Amino acid sequence: KIQSLVANEASLTNFTDDFCLATMLKGVCLRCLKKNFQAKMCFTEVIMNEKTITLDKYVLPFSEVELCQIAMEEGELDDAKKHLEKAWSYTKYSLEARLHFRLHSLTAQLKAKKPVNKLSKSVNASPASSWPNGLSRADDGDDNPFDVQFDPKIDNMDDGP
């Protein structure tokens, strides 16, 4: 219980570590309940206490991974990438190998979700991008006067006698 931790802050030697662990676990529960805003607040609070955490350094990369996952769920791929890179930057913490499985998985998911080329979306949305498709359907049975086949056997095209 976070309230009991806060109430007994003076008597606890590692208050910040215990508080951040409880806050991170609360954030995980909130994320599972789809209360992303509250979950983000919990994970952000953990990260804000980075300098005062002494023992439980693993809560920092785990919080970054949770923020990455929330950002991916919300479609904020740039934020997701930022949190993922920050999570990868942490080293020498408890449960590091376990978290690396999630990091590799999230990296693969992020690469799969990234748009290949932002320009192609704007070009594909324009009317000019559809004209080659119209040309490929030139022999669709309509009587278009511009659907003339070129005959290379015709040598002389002049109008004179």
Side-chain angles (χ1 to χ4, degrees), residues 69-139:
Q69 194 149 5
I70 290 171
M72 284 178 64
E73 288 172 3
E74 294 178 345
E76 298 170 358
L77 299 182
D78 291 335
D79 286 342
K81 183 179 178 185
K82 179 185 75 164
H83 291 299
L84 190 63
E85 288 172 354
K86 183 70 173 164
W88 275 113
S89 72
Y90 290 101
T91 57
K92 297 179 182 151
Y93 56 89
S94 299
L95 306 168
E96 184 173 359
R98 182 190 182 286
L99 186 62
H100 277 202
F101 284 107
R102 284 185 70 193
L103 288 171
H104 284 291
S105 175
L106 288 170
T107 301
Q109 288 176 26
L110 189 60
K111 284 181 182 178
K113 286 187 176 187
K114 275 246 184 229
V116 176
N117 188 357
K118 290 183 181 180
L119 180 62
S120 66
K121 283 185 178 179
S122 64
V123 171
N124 287 338
S126 73
S129 67
S130 64
W131 75 268
N133 295 336
L135 291 178
S136 67
R137 294 188 309 257
D139 60 346

Side-chain angles (χ1 to χ4, degrees), residues 4-25:
S4 65
L5 280 173
V6 174
N8 298 322
E9 178 180 353
S11 65
L12 297 171
T13 54
N14 295 320
F15 167 75
T16 305
D17 290 24
D18 295 340
F19 176 77
C20 287
L21 175 59
T23 304
M24 185 193 75
L25 293 173

Side-chain angles (χ1 to χ4, degrees), residues 2-55:
I2 296 177
Q3 289 92 2
S4 65
L5 280 173
V6 174
N8 298 322
E9 178 180 353
S11 65
L12 297 171
T13 54
N14 295 320
F15 167 75
T16 305
D17 290 24
D18 295 340
F19 176 77
C20 287
L21 175 59
T23 304
M24 185 193 75
L25 293 173
K26 179 181 176 182
V28 170
C29 293
L30 289 167
R31 184 182 64 78
C32 290
L33 293 171
K34 303 290 185 204
K35 296 184 177 186
N36 289 344
F37 180 77
Q38 292 93 335
K40 283 198 275 190
M41 297 305 292
C42 290
F43 300 128
T44 302
E45 187 167 0
V46 171
I47 293 166
M48 286 173 37
N49 285 304
E50 180 175 10
K51 302 239 186 281
T52 57
I53 296 172
T54 55
L55 298 173

